[in-house]
Amino acid sequence: MKKEKKKVILEAGMAVMLFLLVVIGGRVCLKAADGSRLATGSQAEQSTKETKAQKQSEQDGNAAIQPKDGKSKKDSEEAETAANVQEGYPILGTSAVTAKELANYFKTANLPYPSEVLGKGGAEDIETFAQIYCEEAKAEGVRPEVAFVQTMKETAWLQYGGDAKIEQYNFAGIGTTGNGVQGDSFPDVRTGIRAQIQHLKAYATEEPLNQDCVDTRYQYVIKGSAPYVEWLGKQENPQGQGWATAEKYGDSIVEMIQNLPKP
């Protein structure tokens, strides 16, 4: 009986120990499993952060490549190239040149002003003649020195001698084509000057005239084909258009403008 009792106690003790071992072992496994799960979760979170950082880096890189104004690289390069193109002397625009300066410029040639003929047309002296140029040029937005100096070139400082005659009040050879063709005639000095300035504006811009058109050849000009004085010469004009066929025609006018007396 004593042996059987010991045996029962021993088996019970072993059962308790086995139970304890199972419980403790389960907790250890569970803890290990939880730790593994937590470790896996941390790795996933870290991976997510790295992915977001990589995407942000790529976006920042793209933003650095794309100009802030939204223009493509090609557009920016083309704009820079256009800005580097050397411009000439504009026909249009405001000018600080005065009628007195234009009159003084004429006087530097030491040639007589044809007051008898031009006086009949409304400009008895060079001061009045120059003032009309300033008024008519301002009305159409043309620089007065451009038109006035062109007249000095075309008429040999109002001495004429070419196909057109002084009585025509044609100050820039409008309509003259050589071989004795006299070109257009105008009723007075102001109308002749207005026609010349309107013809210049036709070359300089596509914008319409501000005054009634008196230039009889206005419709034949390709509008805006010569915005710069240098382009008035057909040989220097990119489109082959222009006022005259003589080489460096526009350049010679610019050189004369640069010789205007300074105030």
Side-chain angles (χ1 to χ4, degrees), residues 1-255:
M1 291 292 294
K2 289 182 179 181
K3 291 181 178 180
E4 291 179 358
K5 185 175 180 180
K6 290 180 179 179
K7 183 178 179 181
V8 170
I9 293 171
L10 182 60
E11 290 177 351
M14 292 177 64
V16 171
M17 291 178 64
L18 180 61
F19 174 78
L20 292 173
L21 288 173
V22 170
V23 171
I24 293 172
R27 290 180 177 178
V28 171
C29 292
L30 181 60
K31 182 178 181 181
D34 291 342
S36 176
R37 184 168 58 251
L38 290 173
T40 302
S42 298
Q43 292 173 356
E45 182 180 356
Q46 182 65 24
S47 177
T48 301
K49 290 181 179 180
E50 291 176 355
T51 301
K52 290 181 178 180
Q54 183 179 0
K55 289 182 177 179
Q56 184 62 42
S57 177
E58 292 175 354
Q59 291 175 355
D60 293 342
N62 292 335
I65 296 174
Q66 184 73 9
K68 291 182 179 181
D69 57 6
K71 294 181 179 179
S72 67
K73 183 179 179 181
K74 181 179 179 181
D75 291 339
S76 299
E77 290 176 348
E78 290 178 350
E80 183 177 356
T81 300
N84 291 332
V85 175
Q86 185 176 2
E87 296 182 347
Y89 197 98
I91 293 174
L92 300 181
T94 57
S95 175
V97 176
T98 65
K100 182 178 180 180
E101 291 167 3
L102 295 179
N104 289 338
Y105 179 57
F106 172 80
K107 293 175 182 179
T108 62
N110 295 317
L111 293 170
Y113 176 77
S115 56
E116 182 178 355
V117 178
L118 297 187
K120 294 178 181 179
E124 64 279 3
D125 52 44
I126 186 59
E127 286 76 18
T128 303
F129 187 76
Q131 182 61 38
I132 294 174
Y133 264 94
C134 288
E135 293 171 358
E136 292 297 324
K138 182 178 180 180
E140 294 296 349
V142 171
R143 295 176 185 269
E145 70 271 19
V146 173
F148 186 88
V149 170
Q150 183 188 34
T151 289
M152 297 302 109
K153 176 179 176 61
E154 289 280 352
T155 65
W157 299 87
L158 299 179
Q159 307 307 301
Y160 283 80
D163 293 331
K165 306 303 179 184
I166 191 171
E167 294 83 6
Q168 295 176 235
Y169 304 126
N170 183 343
F171 301 109
I174 296 177
T176 58
T177 57
N179 298 320
V181 178
Q182 292 185 339
D184 296 351
S185 296
F186 302 98
D188 51 48
V189 170
R190 183 176 292 274
T191 303
I193 291 175
R194 181 175 298 179
Q196 176 192 359
I197 288 172
Q198 290 180 343
H199 209 63
L200 281 169
K201 185 174 182 178
Y203 276 105
T205 181
E206 296 180 359
E207 293 296 319
L209 297 174
N210 296 327
Q211 303 189 92
D212 292 339
C213 183
V214 297
D215 173 20
T216 56
R217 302 188 64 80
Y218 179 83
Q219 68 271 25
Y220 302 123
V221 178
I222 296 179
K223 308 302 184 292
S225 59
Y228 306 114
V229 178
E230 291 88 341
W231 292 10
L232 290 175
K234 291 184 179 181
Q235 296 188 47
E236 292 74 43
N237 189 291
Q239 301 180 43
Q241 305 298 319
W243 193 293
T245 59
E247 183 179 5
K248 301 292 184 180
Y249 174 81
D251 296 80
S252 64
I253 294 175
V254 173
E255 290 178 3

